[in-house]
Amino acid sequence: FKEAPDNMLELLESPAVGVTTRVCAAAFGVFIIGLGIPVFCVISRYNLYVGGVCSDSWATFWGGIFPWLVSWTLYQGHAILGLLSWTGLVLNGFIDFICPMFIAYV
């Protein structure tokens, strides 16, 4: 491919690839990404409530509603890509450079 888009699933679901690749990309989007989000929301809500951090209604808000509200604002455009790039850069920099020095020192 001459140029890959920011969202790799767009390329994998395009007519530029074979039918098997398109079917697998669609299945990945639905089963792995799509079904994983509600499960994560339920687990987050449960942990907030059982851990005593929030009441039942606030746990529902913070675990199920708030992530959708935030993701809705970041979904369109390149804002989320910039956030993920910088987050990955900082986290990987810490893991790759600071942690080995700390382990060697200890």
Side-chain angles (χ1 to χ4, degrees):
F1 300 103
K2 292 180 182 178
E3 188 174 316
D6 292 333
N7 185 353
M8 198 61 185
L9 285 177
E10 289 178 13
L11 177 65
L12 294 176
E13 292 178 349
S14 73
V17 297
V19 175
T20 305
T21 305
R22 286 189 295 216
V23 169
C24 290
F28 176 81
V30 171
F31 292 112
I32 303 300
I33 298 173
L35 295 179
I37 294 171
V39 170
F40 176 74
C41 289
V42 169
I43 291 171
S44 297
R45 180 200 170 279
Y46 177 77
N47 287 336
L48 287 169
Y49 180 67
V50 170
V53 176
C54 301
S55 65
D56 185 37
S57 58
W58 279 109
T60 302
F61 174 76
W62 291 115
I65 299 170
F66 182 73
W68 289 99
L69 293 175
V70 171
S71 66
W72 184 260
T73 62
L74 297 174
Y75 182 72
Q76 299 296 326
H78 294 277
I80 191 68
L81 294 174
L83 176 67
L84 290 174
S85 295
W86 278 104
T87 304
L89 180 68
V90 170
L91 184 63
N92 284 335
F94 175 75
I95 291 171
D96 292 342
F97 298 110
I98 305 299
C99 287
M101 288 189 295
F102 178 75
I103 292 171
Y105 181 72
V106 173

